[in-house]
Amino acid sequence: MKPRTAAKVAAQESQFDVCVIGGGATGAGCALDAQLRGLRTVLIEANDFASGASSASTKLVHGGVRYLEQAVKSLNLEELRMVKHALRERRFMLSNAPYLARAAHFLIPVYSWLRAGYYLAGMKIYDLIAGEGNLFPSGFVSREETLKRLPGLKSDGLRGAISYSDGQFDDARYNLALVETFVESGGTALNHAPITAFAFAENGKINGAMVRDAITGENFRVKARKLVNATGTGTDLVRALANPSLPSRMRPSKGVHLFFAAELFPGQDALLVPQTEDGRVIFAVPWQSRLLVGTTDDPASDRTRMLVEKEEANYLLRQLNPYLAQPLRLEQALSGMSGLRPLVAGPRQTNTSKLIRDHEVEVDQVSGLVSIMGGKWTTYRFMAEDTIDHVQRELGVPLTDSATKHHPLAGSAGFDEQFSNRIEKEYSLAADIARHLSGKFGSRALQILQLLAENASWNGRIAPELPVVQAEIVFCVRNEMAETIEDLLARRTGAQLYDWKQSLMAAPLAAQLLAQEKERKAGYTAAAVEEYSAKINGFLTELGLEKR
Ligand SMILES: Cc1cc2nc3c(=O)[nH]c(=O)nc-3n(C[C@H](O)[C@H](O)[C@H](O)COP(=O)(O)OP(=O)(O)OC[C@H]3O[C@@H](n4cnc5c(N)ncnc54)[C@H](O)[C@@H]3O)c2cc1C
């Protein structure tokens, strides 16, 4: 990415065809699609890229087994169509960034033959809907094989499992790779810059937006022929800035996850818990040396607290533990995350777990604002294609094909399955560091390792038990627009998901490297560390985990 100052100048001085507001998966996808179609595009994000729902997902690239069940039970063709679209998109997501997304095996344990038949029939329909895009065929797995693949599963009464395949990915890094690819294609992207108002032409249509630079406090204007609102749960607020008479459409729903050491429930396969006390499913998924457990689904309001509440954590353990030989305890949790699903609903729909995860493109005829609402991570590309089709129609330019189906993302060129082994040997790296760098940055890891020629001490870890090296921090500050400790630890390096306490330990060094690179004022480091520590200690305290 361009340095932030250069991106800001470009954002201020250029006349754009399209301004995309919101740098989550949807906005980054829209920006890339528009830029690749030859539209001059700017992407403006209020906080950090991927700081909303797009880094808080279960990290599944999936059609949605639960949505399929809902669709079949209620004969909902719309929902079935959505599962089909998602399964088609799954293939594109996996092939466009192989270092960030992969096919994974899931097991649904069964304790009665009736249930086994029910789930197997369901998963065969899932395979059928996926068609040529199916990853591996589903099937019945014997009790012995199930316990071999998931040795931590409770064996009492176990008949076996139904296996099926879906995708798994690194959501925050995928989002960042979309932004990077957009910038490489000639686009301009700026983070920490909320849109605060719109500028209107004489005909009442919006032709620009007022932006506040949250780092410097300056305000400036961005000029664009068309503005796209991709602000997730912020969508209604932005729609109201353009046209206060628009009715609200978003029904945000909160979901939380916990992370544990992977050894506590060993195995390469993921577990799907098929029934919860509120009629949903939850997952326990091996993810980057951790076990990811989630999620919840509760309607959110202005009073919703954005952290994992103890009650929510206990709910997750209550659903998962009956399936485990050795129950997990809350005090074993290493970290967690919470997020808001930007669901879109009709005026009377309130039960968020029943809302289908479809998307809708709205063109406000009064202001001209194009809003993309709803959807899910897996369908971000399809949503972006639909949105930019609308944008081209609105601009009155010829409709061109989206070029994103087969467009490898930054870090994919030169990456293959041996990449991690190669850099481990070539740069004498510890195996966990090599795996981490190749899994987060793909072939761009080489640019990080080249920084060691500038300062050999940057090969040190930022905390003793994290696979993150100092060179990675410097790289992300110089090349990925990281502006805060949280940008670095939560989204660029993933350290905060690996381990909250280790991240607290890493914060002073991360802040110091950031301050050096950015020439921040004296006093910055202490204040930034204090702010970050207060936040993470708040997460720990809420769950009754020992503070540092
Ligand atoms: C708990 C949970 C689990 C999920 N699991 C999965 C899963 O496994 N698979 C899947 O496919 N999907 C999953 N999803 C859904 C998926 O994460 C979301 O649908 C997707 O990330 C939404 O992306 P988005 O860009 O629309 O929203 P967001 O990621 O929230 O991005 C919106 C962005 O807009 C910015 N913004 C807001 N207001 C302004 C403004 N005024 N100016 C500029 N910027 C602004 C915000 O800062 C934010 O970064 C899950 C979601 C949650 C919460």
Side-chain angles (χ1 to χ4, degrees), residues 20-29 43-63 67 86 93 167 169 171 175 190 192-198 210-211 229-235 237-238 241 250 253-257 280 283 292 294-297 306 337-343 357 372-380 383:
V20 179
I21 311 163
T26 310
L43 174 68
I44 305 285
E45 162 56 44
N47 183 6
D48 187 21
F49 307 119
S51 58
S54 298
S55 58
S57 80
T58 313
K59 311 185 195 309
L60 301 180
V61 189
H62 64 162
Y67 311 133
M93 252 187 105
F169 75 128
D171 52 4
N175 195 150
L190 192 66
H192 296 286
I195 298 278
T196 53
F198 285 113
M210 295 311 300
V211 180
N229 172 14
T231 52
T233 53
T235 297
L237 286 174
V238 174
L241 291 178
M250 303 310 291
S253 132
K254 183 183 176 190
V256 306
H257 295 84
R280 302 170 42 256
F283 293 92
L292 167 63
T295 180
T296 54
D297 192 338
M306 289 320 293
M337 57 183 188
S338 63
L340 295 180
R341 297 175 185 85
L343 304 182
R357 271 53 171 166
I372 166 73
M373 303 181 281
K376 56 185 204 168
W377 232 121
T378 309
T379 52
Y380 85 92
M383 291 160 67

Side-chain angles (χ1 to χ4, degrees), residues 418-433:
Q418 291 310 311
F419 186 81
S420 175
N421 288 339
R422 274 205 307 278
I423 58 171
E424 183 183 334
K425 285 201 190 78
E426 246 172 71
Y427 291 87
S428 308
L429 299 173
D432 64 331
I433 292 177

Side-chain angles (χ1 to χ4, degrees), residues 239-268:
R239 286 165 75 236
L241 291 178
N243 178 358
S245 69
L246 288 171
S248 76
R249 296 293 311 281
M250 303 310 291
R251 299 287 179 277
S253 132
K254 183 183 176 190
V256 306
H257 295 84
L258 291 174
F259 290 87
F260 295 86
E263 306 80 68
L264 293 175
F265 185 62
Q268 287 302 306

Side-chain angles (χ1 to χ4, degrees), residues 93 97 100 169-178 377 380 409:
M93 252 187 105
L100 291 169
F169 75 128
D170 186 320
D171 52 4
R173 290 292 330 170
Y174 208 106
N175 195 150
L176 289 162
L178 283 169
W377 232 121
Y380 85 92
L409 301 189

Side-chain angles (χ1 to χ4, degrees), residues 55-60 106 168-171 256-263 265 269-273 282-295 316-317 320 328 334-338 497:
S55 58
S57 80
T58 313
K59 311 185 195 309
L60 301 180
F106 291 71
Q168 204 192 11
F169 75 128
D170 186 320
D171 52 4
V256 306
H257 295 84
L258 291 174
F259 290 87
F260 295 86
E263 306 80 68
F265 185 62
D269 293 353
L271 169 71
L272 181 150
V273 170
I282 65 159
F283 293 92
V285 191
W287 194 78
Q288 299 182 357
S289 80
R290 296 288 178 257
L291 180 74
L292 167 63
V293 178
T295 180
L316 288 178
L317 295 184
L320 176 63
L328 292 176
L334 295 173
S335 71
M337 57 183 188
S338 63
L497 302 192

Side-chain angles (χ1 to χ4, degrees), residues 86-166:
L87 287 174
R88 185 198 58 195
E89 289 300 317
R90 186 175 68 177
R91 208 61 200 231
F92 300 135
M93 252 187 105
L94 264 56
S95 65
N96 280 336
Y99 68 101
L100 291 169
R102 64 179 187 100
H105 292 279
F106 291 71
L107 293 180
I108 313 173
V110 285
Y111 296 85
S112 87
W113 294 117
L114 199 66
R115 280 276 138 195
Y118 179 73
Y119 296 140
L120 186 60
M123 295 328 301
K124 286 294 173 196
I125 299 177
Y126 200 61
D127 288 358
L128 208 69
I129 297 176
E132 281 183 10
N134 202 19
L135 302 173
F136 306 108
S138 59
F140 178 75
V141 178
S142 71
R143 176 188 151 90
E144 290 66 35
E145 177 70 11
T146 303
L147 290 171
K148 214 189 299 167
R149 284 162 71 170
L150 288 180
L153 209 56
K154 198 182 223 170
S155 57
D156 306 351
L158 184 75
R159 306 280 186 202
I162 304 304
S163 78
Y164 74 98
S165 56
D166 245 329

